[in-house]
Amino acid sequence: MEFKRYTVTSALPYANGPVHIGHLAGVYIPADIYARYLRSRDKDVVFIGGSDEHGVPITIKARQQGVSPQEIVDKYHTMIKQSFEEFGISFDIYSRTSNKVHHDTAKEFFLNLYKKGEFIEKNSFQYYDETHQQFLADRYITGTCPHCGNDNAYGDQCEKCGTSLNATDLINPRSAISGNTPVLKETKHWFLPLNNYEEFLKEWILVNHKDDWKTNVYGQCKSWIDQGLQPRAVTRDLDWGVKLPEEIKDSNGKVLYVWFDAPIGYISATKELTTEWEKYWKDKETKLVHFIGKDNIVFHCIIFPVMLKAEGSFILPDNVPANEFLNLEGDKISTSRNWAVWLHEYLIEFKNK
């Protein structure tokens, strides 16, 4: 099919540290090559990037440095944006999820699904740090991965095997704040019932994209679907993030789960770029392509497409090229573990040669 226009997105890096060469090799250089190629053929294309500023890694970094999360994201967003500019990545816009347009867009998206009755509201038990008297979201919890035995898996994902997790899946969980064993405490959240969309995903991915998606992407999606999907919480007990719309009852102290609000950042950045943003997101003659790392497959191929399908007016991604991790001396490059060759330092060395 010949498309009228193209929307190309690149994964939003967490603004909790600089960009490293693993990010470049896996996401930004491939996306940039594709966008430049399309432009060379005089195609109508928008190349969207931006900083993800609402993850728990942000609040962890802020706590470690004794500053506010806003100070952290301001520092690293500026550094990341400048590094991309100096390296020559040709974004049409490089935005950030702390912008008002993003908060408004994410709230509107959530409210649309809420009004359509797409969410399940229920009380569940979540890990709680009694020492610090706070609920522990995702990366505030570490423990042993039940799939590969990695002792440093996070409460949302094991970075070693790439498996997406719930915090209660972890063996021997511990608080990343105090190091103590957390307790389970009841709290209310809103869940997106992924299980209601299994048949849609089977048709869309396992039938329609069996031959044109990369094998690692298709294989991971198939594994997820074959295991059976479960409702996924899309809110968190945090004071940093996109607050739930005021129209939602019992929403005080709740924010959107970062993996609900972050991909909406592609939409809000396009809104920021052009008043004609809808043709890049709602016209079936537009091709949407997400460039990501393999740890983001489930979010871009399962959760975000279900969100788009549930909302009803958006197109779905035509392809989601995800690349493998880049290793440094045999170990996965990681911002949170400070194990990387940083782009801003590489640029200094490169300029001096």
Side-chain angles (χ1 to χ4, degrees):
M1 175 181 175
E2 186 67 26
F3 289 91
K4 184 179 290 187
R5 69 189 65 81
Y6 297 79
T7 303
V8 180
T9 74
S10 56
L12 308 183
Y14 274 137
N16 69 325
V19 170
H20 54 63
I21 59 171
H23 291 132
L24 282 179
V27 176
Y28 303 105
I29 291 177
D32 189 58
I33 291 171
Y34 183 59
R36 288 173 182 269
Y37 165 73
L38 292 172
R39 294 188 193 113
S40 75
R41 297 181 59 208
D42 297 320
K43 300 297 183 182
D44 181 358
V45 55
V46 290
F47 180 20
I48 304 299
S51 297
D52 179 357
E53 300 179 329
H54 292 140
V56 172
I58 307 293
T59 58
I60 290 177
K61 176 78 77 170
R63 184 183 290 269
Q64 289 171 344
Q65 297 188 7
V67 298
S68 70
Q70 190 66 54
E71 289 176 88
I72 292 293
V73 299
D74 286 346
K75 173 184 176 179
Y76 288 111
H77 168 75
T78 301
M79 179 185 293
I80 293 168
K81 188 172 187 289
Q82 183 176 344
S83 294
F84 280 139
E85 289 172 353
E86 291 184 15
F87 191 75
I89 300 298
S90 61
F91 293 118
D92 288 297
I93 185 171
Y94 188 82
S95 189
R96 57 192 304 191
T97 60
S98 62
N99 282 349
K100 183 178 185 300
V101 64
H102 174 71
H103 279 243
D104 291 345
T105 302
K107 286 181 179 180
E108 181 184 12
F109 199 107
F110 182 92
L111 193 57
N112 285 345
L113 296 192
Y114 177 81
K115 289 179 177 178
K116 292 180 70 175
E118 290 288 342
F119 296 124
I120 298 170
E121 298 177 35
K122 66 176 182 178
N123 290 347
S124 62
F125 287 91
Q126 183 177 330
Y127 282 124
Y128 184 85
D129 189 316
E130 292 182 303
T131 302
H132 289 269
Q133 297 187 339
Q134 71 175 75
F135 283 101
L136 300 172
D138 303 325
R139 301 214 166 193
Y140 273 122
I141 311 163
T142 58
T144 302
C145 174
H147 299 278
C148 72
N150 172 28
D151 288 331
N152 294 304
Y154 293 114
D156 62 345
Q157 190 171 51
C158 175
E159 290 197 341
K160 185 174 182 180
C161 68
T163 302
S164 181
L165 301 168
N166 290 310
T168 50
D169 296 333
L170 293 175
I171 301 167
N172 299 323
R174 45 189 192 277
S175 167
I177 304 175
S178 65
N180 297 333
T181 301
V183 299
L184 288 170
K185 187 174 180 178
E186 192 172 22
T187 183
K188 179 179 179 178
H189 283 294
W190 285 258
F191 290 73
L192 183 64
L194 301 178
N195 49 301
N196 290 352
Y197 289 86
E198 276 193 21
E199 293 306 313
F200 151 69
L201 291 169
K202 286 178 181 178
E203 176 72 19
W204 177 58
I205 299 175
L206 304 188
V207 176
N208 295 347
H209 290 294
K210 182 176 182 180
D211 298 321
D212 63 335
W213 281 15
K214 294 181 65 174
T215 54
N216 66 330
V217 177
Y218 179 85
Q220 194 174 130
C221 291
K222 186 176 187 305
S223 175
W224 256 71
I225 295 169
D226 287 348
Q227 289 175 23
L229 300 176
Q230 302 297 323
R232 181 108 182 185
V234 294
T235 57
R236 293 291 187 269
D237 291 294
L238 287 171
D239 56 4
W240 176 252
V242 177
K243 297 186 185 308
L244 267 63
E246 293 179 358
E247 294 92 331
I248 309 297
K249 184 180 178 182
D250 300 328
S251 64
N252 287 341
K254 311 284 185 183
V255 300
L256 296 181
Y257 173 41
V258 67
W259 274 112
F260 186 94
D261 101 75
I264 296 172
Y266 303 136
I267 301 169
S268 61
T270 313
K271 275 189 179 181
E272 192 177 341
L273 175 66
T274 174
T275 57
E276 297 184 313
W277 69 273
E278 286 189 333
K279 70 181 183 180
Y280 294 103
W281 283 97
K282 297 189 176 186
D283 188 334
K284 293 187 183 300
E285 292 189 273
T286 298
K287 181 175 182 176
L288 172 61
V289 181
H290 297 307
F291 283 84
I292 60 171
K294 75 171 186 180
D295 54 335
N296 291 343
I297 290 173
V298 66
F299 303 109
H300 286 77
C301 298
I302 303 288
I303 297 175
F304 190 41
V306 167
M307 291 164 54
L308 296 173
K309 181 70 173 177
E311 199 280 341
S313 67
F314 288 86
I315 59 174
L316 299 172
D318 186 81
N319 210 326
V320 189
N323 290 309
E324 297 296 309
F325 296 139
L326 190 65
N327 287 347
L328 179 63
E329 296 182 7
D331 194 8
K332 175 186 173 293
I333 291 177
S334 170
T335 299
S336 59
R337 292 188 292 110
N338 196 34
W339 183 250
V341 175
W342 306 108
L343 176 56
H344 67 292
E345 294 176 349
Y346 169 84
L347 286 167
I348 293 171
E349 292 293 321
F350 183 76
K351 286 179 180 178
N352 290 336
K353 297 299 182 184

